[in-house]
């Protein structure tokens, strides 16, 4: 399967993204392709990231996310195409790009025999920061990443979640304009996942953030816009809401009815225009997802059917596709 859903910058299925202010582009990727030997990891990738935007780079394992992240940060040159960050080409002006980027790779490059403080000082020195600025920035970064109780702790003694925080701290110590995070919550426990997400959301208020992940809730909770990559190609790019509206193709209603489900289900299924009905029972609360043909508003018909049978209609609302449904539809071999 290959879906050319959208491969043009700042558009969603051929239209401008809605509900977003226009900002200058911080990152521009044009026809980016990279080969490992004869095999393409990514092919003809095009996208823009606006200044101050939090972009979710979503795809299954092996889709090309990490390769793209490495190219964005100047760690890997593209085989073909170009990437610029804040106007600087990532190949020709690699040092200028690295000054402006904070990078958290999937495997965090930590020196486990160093304390948190010494490691962050070392990373600041590597980035050419003056000693005075390192000292003042150190306290700020430790506070932001909530590492205050671990300043003098050797990194090798930290849990994976706190090592991840140290990795984020080294990525932001030089106050980069762009923060690139590759699978930032992989392998950490649920509590640490929530804390890391909250931290990323805080950082996103001041910086442009590109976040790669294969974890759907992570992207939908943090990111303003989603870019989905599959088999090295971008297959969709838009807000989660716009993706749902464009891909849905049917009208969906969530209906809550107080009545015997064995009777309610066939009545809803027989309404003209209904494609399918699924039933959910959540601790005695019976809801039905009714899928109707495009353009059909069945709310009146459903209301009459429920009331005429003597049941109580407790709620009814339009529902869209979840990001998980969008993701599966775009990255599986199902016939669209």
């Amino acid at each position: 399967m290959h879906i050319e859903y959208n491969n043009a910058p700042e558009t969603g299925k051929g239209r401008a993204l809605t509900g977003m202010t226009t900002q200058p582009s911080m990152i521009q990727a044009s026809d980016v392709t990279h080969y490992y030997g004869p095999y393409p990891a990514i092919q003809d990738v095009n996208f823009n990231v606006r200044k101050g935007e939090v972009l979710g780079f979503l795809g299954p394992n092996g889709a090309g996310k990490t390769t793209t992240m490495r190219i964005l940060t100047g760690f890997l040159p593209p085989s073909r195409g170009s990437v610029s960050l804040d106007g600087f080409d990532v190949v020709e002006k690699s040092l200028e790009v690295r000054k402006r980027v904070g990078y958290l790779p999937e495997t965090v490059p930590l020196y486990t025999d160093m304390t948190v403080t010494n490691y962050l000082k070392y990373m600041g020195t590597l980035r050419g920061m003056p000693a005075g600025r390192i000292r003042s920035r150190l306290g700020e970064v430790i506070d932001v990443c909530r590492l205050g109780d671990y300043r003098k702790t050797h990194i090798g003694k930290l849990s994976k979640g706190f090592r991840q925080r140290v990795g984020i701290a080294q990525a932001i110590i030089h106050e980069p304009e762009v923060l690139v995070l590759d699978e930032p919550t992989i392998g950490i426990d649920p509590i640490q996942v929530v804390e890391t997400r909250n931290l990323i959301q805080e950082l996103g208020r001041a910086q442009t953030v590109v976040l790669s992940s294969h974890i759907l809730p992570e992207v939908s909770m943090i990111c303003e816009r989603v870019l989905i990559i599959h088999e090295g190609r971008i297959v969709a790019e838009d807000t989660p809401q716009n993706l749902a509206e464009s891909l849905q193709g049917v009208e969906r209603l969530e209906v809550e009815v107080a009545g015997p489900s064995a009777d309610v289900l066939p009545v809803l299924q027989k309404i003209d225009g209904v494609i399918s009905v699924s039933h959910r029972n959540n601790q005695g609360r019976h809801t039905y997802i009714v899928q109707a043909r495009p353009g059909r508003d069945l709310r009146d018909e459903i209301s009459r059917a429920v009331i005429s049978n003597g049941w109580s209609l407790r709620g009814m609302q339009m529902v869209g596709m979840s990001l998980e449904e969008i993701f599966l539809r775009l990255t599986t071999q199902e016939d669209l």
Side-chain angles (χ1 to χ4, degrees), residues 1-5 230-231 233-235 333:
M1 177 192 71
H2 173 56
I3 311 163
E4 286 292 349
Y5 176 83
H230 179 56
E231 296 180 347
R233 294 181 181 271
I234 294 173
V235 297
Q333 300 298 322

Side-chain angles (χ1 to χ4, degrees), residues 154-173:
H154 283 84
I155 292 172
K157 295 182 179 179
L158 296 176
S159 67
K160 183 160 186 183
F162 277 99
R163 291 189 190 192
Q164 205 76 347
R165 293 191 195 186
V166 175
I168 294 174
Q170 65 81 25
I172 65 173
I173 193 167

Side-chain angles (χ1 to χ4, degrees), residues 215-290:
I215 302 172
L216 299 161
E218 186 168 279
V219 173
S220 59
M221 289 178 187
I222 297 173
C223 302
E224 305 160 22
R225 185 163 58 104
V226 177
L227 187 152
I228 299 178
I229 187 168
H230 179 56
E231 296 180 347
R233 294 181 181 271
I234 294 173
V235 297
E237 177 187 356
D238 215 323
T239 64
Q241 180 180 353
N242 283 349
L243 283 172
E245 291 174 356
S246 298
L247 289 171
Q248 191 161 296
V250 295
E251 305 294 337
R252 302 206 316 172
L253 286 165
E254 182 181 81
V255 183
E256 183 178 358
V257 180
S261 59
D263 297 330
V264 174
L265 197 60
V267 166
L268 294 178
Q269 289 171 332
K270 289 178 182 177
I271 295 173
D272 184 39
V274 169
I275 296 173
S276 66
V277 183
S278 59
H279 170 242
R280 300 172 184 169
N281 181 4
N282 184 10
Q283 297 180 341
R285 179 174 175 264
H286 294 273
T287 59
Y288 303 83
I289 302 298
V290 180

